[in-house]
Amino acid sequence: MANDVTGNAPARTDYTVKKGEVSLAIYRKCQVASAGEPVRPVLFLVHGSSNSGLSSFDLTAPGAGEYSTMNVFAGLGYDVWTMDHENYGRSSRTEGNSDIASGVADMVAATELVIHETGRERLHFMGESSGALRAAAFAMARPERVGRLVLNAFTYTGRNSPTLAKRAEQVEYFRTHNRRLRDRAMIRSIFTRDHPGTSDPRVAEALADAELVHGEEVPTGTYLDMTANLPVVDPLKVQAPVMLVRGEHDGIASEEDLLDFYRQLPNPDRQFVVLPGAAHALVFGHNRHQLWHVVHAFLAMPPRRDV
């Protein structure tokens, strides 16, 4: 089911798909194609543990500039999609904890719709934080649907991660509870816990305003996976070209841990990028324009011919 949402260009179209009895909210932004124009490449954006799809990738922050990754990449010629995973945003609320495996199942259902609507058999993906874990796990499960894969603020084993070490103090809570508190204070902490000054405080407030309409609780599944079950992705099983993007001040993913993952990737079309002055929340940082630049360059780059 689709519903057009009018407003500033590019327009957004909203869909719903079913994963069994679970209803999943899907969102699309794309510039109107001209007659005879080639089919646009598809970019599917995957949100993280504490925020839903639109607040992560289509955020309006009054007075702070452009924060909609969907708008930016639609303007660059992509057909841009995102979704709310089970128990997030406008998707169904269930008794589950929405772990990484659940997120992969969400993406299987969502990408069936995207392929049907666009005619594209292979899609590009960009995941942020635990969304990068979801995207990489999906690439292992459904390699035939993946073109290029961008993993922002990814976590491999969690070695040398001060944030995960602190979060692991609550691992028994995550094992026994399927929801955790995600109030305004917690959302603000996303912007300050790594390195103050890497983002605009107005964006934290805009994000909180957008998210808290969905309540003050979110699932614990990705937190449990990241504190007790890493690694959940085997780099040897990710066949697509991959770009890993880490913020200089990321407190979750250490550079050494990510380089270990990077060196094991089998596809020679791979890149490792460290964004200066950035923290874990890359899409919300002052240097988000650098992120958009390197992602666009990677997605548009021709494949290597020397292998």
Side-chain angles (χ1 to χ4, degrees):
M1 180 176 67
N3 177 45
D4 286 329
V5 178
T6 59
N8 295 330
R12 194 185 81 222
T13 304
D14 296 354
Y15 301 79
T16 55
V17 298
K18 288 288 190 177
K19 182 186 70 171
E21 297 300 313
V22 177
S23 179
L24 299 171
I26 316 290
Y27 312 101
R28 179 186 193 182
K29 281 195 170 185
C30 183
Q31 299 281 14
V32 176
S34 304
E37 185 178 347
V39 177
R40 296 176 184 269
V42 175
L43 175 60
F44 194 103
L45 306 171
V46 190
H47 71 74
S49 298
S50 298
N51 309 305
S52 54
L54 291 181
S55 68
S56 296
F57 302 115
D58 197 27
L59 183 67
T60 298
E66 179 65 270
Y67 278 85
S68 171
T69 300
M70 296 188 80
N71 284 349
V72 169
F73 279 86
L76 289 170
Y78 293 85
D79 191 345
V80 189
W81 297 71
T82 191
M83 71 179 300
D84 295 333
H85 286 282
E86 181 180 336
N87 291 312
Y88 288 89
R90 301 177 186 176
S91 291
S92 292
R93 297 306 191 264
T94 71
E95 295 302 314
N97 72 351
S98 301
D99 60 6
I100 299 300
S102 171
V104 171
D106 295 342
M107 293 177 67
V108 170
T111 54
E112 288 174 358
L113 168 72
V114 176
I115 291 168
H116 178 268
E117 290 292 303
T118 66
R120 285 279 190 178
E121 294 294 329
R122 288 185 180 270
L123 323 174
H124 300 316
F125 292 85
M126 184 179 87
E128 181 98 349
S129 190
S130 66
L133 289 171
R134 292 185 180 108
F138 175 81
M140 291 195 302
R142 293 298 177 95
E144 75 282 359
R145 296 188 183 183
V146 181
R148 288 180 173 246
L149 181 62
V150 179
L151 304 178
N152 295 340
F154 182 73
T155 307
Y156 180 29
T157 70
R159 291 192 307 269
N160 302 320
S161 168
T163 301
L164 291 185
K166 181 66 175 176
R167 196 175 292 172
E169 296 173 4
Q170 303 180 69
V171 68
E172 290 309 314
Y173 180 90
F174 303 146
R175 292 187 196 277
T176 56
H177 296 76
N178 285 351
R179 298 290 181 273
R180 61 180 173 87
L181 180 66
R182 190 282 322 265
D183 58 6
R184 186 173 292 270
M186 187 274 161
I187 292 173
R188 287 171 175 162
S189 75
I190 297 170
F191 292 77
T192 59
R193 68 190 180 204
D194 291 337
H195 192 80
T198 57
S199 58
D200 188 329
R202 293 175 294 182
V203 181
E205 300 308 315
L207 178 61
D209 291 343
E211 269 300 309
L212 293 177
V213 297
H214 303 301
E216 292 192 333
E217 291 186 326
V218 287
T220 57
T222 56
Y223 268 34
L224 179 59
D225 279 337
M226 293 174 75
T227 54
N229 299 324
L230 291 177
V232 296
V233 177
D234 181 350
L236 296 175
K237 295 181 180 178
V238 179
Q239 299 300 314
V242 173
M243 181 168 72
L244 288 160
V245 186
R246 179 186 185 272
E248 176 187 4
H249 303 295
D250 193 332
I252 291 185
S254 72
E255 192 167 324
E256 295 77 15
D257 197 33
L258 294 181
L259 283 170
D260 186 18
F261 183 89
Y262 170 80
R263 293 185 185 105
Q264 297 179 68
L265 290 167
N267 195 304
D269 280 332
R270 60 188 186 188
Q271 294 187 18
F272 186 94
V273 176
V274 177
L275 290 185
H280 184 73
L282 294 171
V283 295
F284 300 128
H286 289 308
N287 289 342
R288 65 199 181 281
H289 303 89
Q290 292 183 336
L291 172 68
W292 296 334
H293 174 77
V294 297
V295 171
H296 176 46
F298 175 70
L299 296 182
M301 185 176 295
R304 287 178 58 176
R305 300 298 185 187
D306 60 338
V307 292

